Amino acid sequence: MPTQEITEASGYWYPDDDAAQRGVTVLNALRRYRAAETAMRRRTRDAMGMNETDLLAVRFLLQAQRAGRTVKPKDLAAYLNISSASTTILIDRLVRSNHVRRDPHPTDRRALVITATTETDDEVRATLGIMHRRMMHIAEGLSAADARVIAGFLEQMRAAVDEIDHTEH
């Protein structure tokens, strides 16, 4: 007897059984979350007058500052996987918009340190703070067991997405 298939708008076909239906429900919820997060990032970029790379750079700089690490242009280039020429253009653009500044390196007078401005930190906190608090409120409301299950699931999904398929063509 042939199995009936569930076809979702995503273009994937799944067998019509309970496990597949649960899986489809979870994957569709995950897709909706990712779409909402992508839209939130776009709104944030628009509100701050930045593109995706600019926002990634600022986030990296703010995280480094909070961790007490200095960031040189080459560190930023490596993180973003862009050329040194592209990094210079990026830094110039962010300096002009007052999102970052170039400072002399504290111990290497030939080097520069790239730092997010206080105004940028304030802007990011104002733009994302309320949303982060809402998300944290939801996460804190989970039981310890549920938090472990969800964190484990998301880590497994990350690993599945990061895995490279080695198929021959």
Side-chain angles (χ1 to χ4, degrees):
M1 180 170 153
T3 352
Q4 214 175 0
E5 300 279 337
I6 301 170
T7 306
E8 290 295 323
S10 66
Y12 297 105
W13 295 270
Y14 303 98
D16 187 12
D17 60 34
D18 287 345
Q21 288 180 5
R22 284 191 311 273
V24 166
T25 298
V26 170
L27 291 179
N28 283 334
L30 190 56
R31 286 184 191 107
R32 286 190 302 274
Y33 171 79
R34 288 178 54 225
E37 184 179 40
T38 298
M40 178 272 305
R41 286 174 162 263
R42 185 179 55 251
R43 289 188 308 270
T44 300
R45 288 191 315 265
D46 291 349
M48 294 182 72
M50 296 181 166
N51 65 38
E52 181 69 18
T53 305
D54 295 350
L55 194 57
L56 288 172
V58 165
R59 188 177 76 184
F60 176 71
L61 292 169
L62 290 170
Q63 288 171 343
Q65 282 174 239
R66 287 186 193 106
R69 295 187 320 267
T70 58
V71 177
K72 295 180 184 179
K74 70 176 185 162
D75 302 324
L76 192 55
Y79 175 75
L80 296 171
N81 196 27
I82 60 177
S83 69
S84 60
S86 294
T87 303
T88 300
I89 292 168
L90 168 73
I91 293 168
D92 287 346
R93 182 173 57 247
L94 292 174
V95 166
R96 276 194 310 275
S97 65
N98 196 38
H99 286 104
V100 305
R101 64 179 195 272
R102 290 180 178 99
D103 296 315
H105 191 280
T107 59
D108 182 354
R109 62 186 177 143
R110 297 168 297 159
L112 294 173
V113 173
I114 308 305
T115 309
T117 62
T118 303
E119 294 81 12
T120 298
D121 192 16
D122 293 344
E123 186 177 8
V124 168
R125 287 175 189 269
T127 304
L128 299 176
I130 293 170
M131 184 262 316
H132 276 250
R133 283 191 294 278
R134 284 193 309 258
M135 291 172 65
M136 191 60 162
H137 177 73
I138 293 166
E140 288 173 341
L142 296 170
S143 69
D146 286 347
R148 279 191 301 278
V149 168
I150 292 168
F153 166 77
L154 291 173
E155 281 301 317
Q156 289 176 338
M157 293 301 286
R158 182 206 48 79
V161 170
D162 279 349
E163 189 171 309
I164 297 173
D165 292 330
H166 297 286
T167 57
E168 296 194 24
H169 298 278

